[in-house]
Amino acid sequence: MMAQYCDALAALPDFAPELLMCVVELLKSFNSRSCQLILGAGALQLIGLKSISVKHLALSSRCLQLILRFVPYLKSDFENQLPAAKQNQLRHMTHVMRDYNDHIDEITNKLISVIEHHTVVQLQQWELKGSIPSAAFQQICKQLGKFYNGLTGTMPESMIKDLFLRVHESFKTNLKEQLAIMRITPHDSLTYGLVSQDYSFYVKSMKAMPCCNDFKDESISEALYAK
């Protein structure tokens, strides 16, 4: 549809102001509707989805990024055709680009919050007894694997890596907080040794994923307490 408006602009340059506002409304409508359906979970009622999955979020983000890639070219075409008195209408395109970027950021934050929720729940149930890796860390790594599988094929590995870096930093913060709650410190050599083994299992699981194979192979002390 955007290409059709470009064709119309080339054929009817005198109608550039009107065509510009049509394009702006089209872009706004797509952004708003996709937000309602995915972030707002409207698709659950509309088409009977059981849940909004990681893949749905990733696909929505990629669609927004694809459209956003072409908006500057649209803006340039209209800039060349708009009369001087109407050039201020281009601010609407600038606002649209800002709204799309904000929406993409919201989806990214939602993706991170989804996996963070799972890790926090497991850390709260974490018990350092029995076999290592603990059940909690096995579940954390299992969820990370599902998270990766939901993203791969939809997002490029570079973007997935950026997401996992943020997830990793968040996990280390939550782990440190949980250790404080459990009153476990490096001075508790036996218990802390079990923590260290769990963390090593987590790091190996992360590095097993293609997006994370160059993650730093750090000990828990380096990860949580190094200055």
Side-chain angles (χ1 to χ4, degrees):
M1 290 183 71
M2 289 190 294
Q4 290 174 336
Y5 275 111
C6 288
D7 291 339
L9 177 64
L12 303 166
D14 291 343
F15 290 90
E18 292 79 7
L19 290 170
L20 172 62
M21 296 314 298
C22 288
V23 171
V24 167
E25 288 306 313
L26 175 66
L27 293 170
K28 284 183 175 180
S29 178
F30 180 85
N31 189 40
S32 175
R33 191 60 175 150
S34 61
C35 184
Q36 292 169 5
L37 290 173
I38 304 301
L39 283 178
L44 300 183
Q45 291 77 34
L46 186 66
I47 59 176
L49 285 179
K50 292 183 179 180
S51 64
I52 301 298
S53 69
V54 165
K55 187 169 286 292
H56 294 138
L57 289 164
L59 186 58
S60 179
S61 177
R62 292 297 283 162
C63 288
L64 293 166
Q65 290 169 31
L66 177 62
I67 293 172
L68 188 58
R69 186 179 182 88
F70 291 99
V71 174
Y73 298 105
L74 280 169
K75 183 180 178 182
S76 178
D77 284 349
F78 278 100
E79 186 175 10
N80 293 333
Q81 298 293 349
L82 284 170
K86 296 290 185 177
Q87 286 287 317
N88 65 336
Q89 285 189 343
L90 291 170
R91 72 184 187 280
H92 296 295
M93 295 292 275
T94 302
H95 293 161
V96 163
M97 288 189 285
R98 181 196 62 202
D99 291 343
Y100 270 62
N101 278 312
D102 288 346
H103 190 177
I104 292 166
D105 288 342
E106 286 182 41
I107 293 175
T108 300
N109 291 334
K110 180 64 176 179
L111 283 166
I112 292 170
S113 71
V114 167
I115 190 61
E116 185 178 42
H117 169 74
H118 287 293
T119 58
V120 168
V121 168
Q122 290 301 322
L123 285 174
Q124 290 172 345
Q125 299 173 356
W126 186 24
E127 293 183 349
L128 286 166
K129 61 182 181 180
S131 60
I132 295 294
S134 64
F137 268 70
Q138 289 183 53
Q139 282 299 314
I140 287 170
C141 294
K142 182 179 179 180
Q143 289 297 331
L144 287 169
K146 288 183 177 180
F147 186 60
Y148 174 79
N149 290 335
L151 298 174
T152 188
T154 303
M155 284 185 166
E157 287 294 316
S158 60
M159 292 184 66
I160 298 176
K161 181 178 181 179
D162 289 341
L163 275 173
F164 268 82
L165 282 170
R166 290 180 60 180
V167 167
H168 181 53
E169 291 304 315
S170 174
F171 175 73
K172 289 193 292 185
T173 298
N174 291 325
L175 176 58
K176 189 172 183 178
E177 291 176 355
Q178 185 62 29
L179 289 176
I181 291 171
M182 297 169 72
R183 297 183 179 181
I184 297 173
T185 71
H187 300 294
D188 306 316
S189 57
L190 180 59
T191 307
Y192 192 74
L194 297 176
V195 172
S196 179
Q197 291 180 60
D198 260 349
Y199 185 75
S200 294
F201 171 75
Y202 159 81
V203 171
K204 288 178 182 177
S205 297
M206 288 284 279
K207 288 172 68 68
M209 289 179 279
C211 66
C212 305
N213 55 19
D214 61 348
F215 268 27
K216 184 179 179 182
D217 193 2
E218 58 188 359
S219 69
I220 189 169
S221 294
E222 291 172 329
L224 303 188
Y225 303 110
K227 294 182 180 179

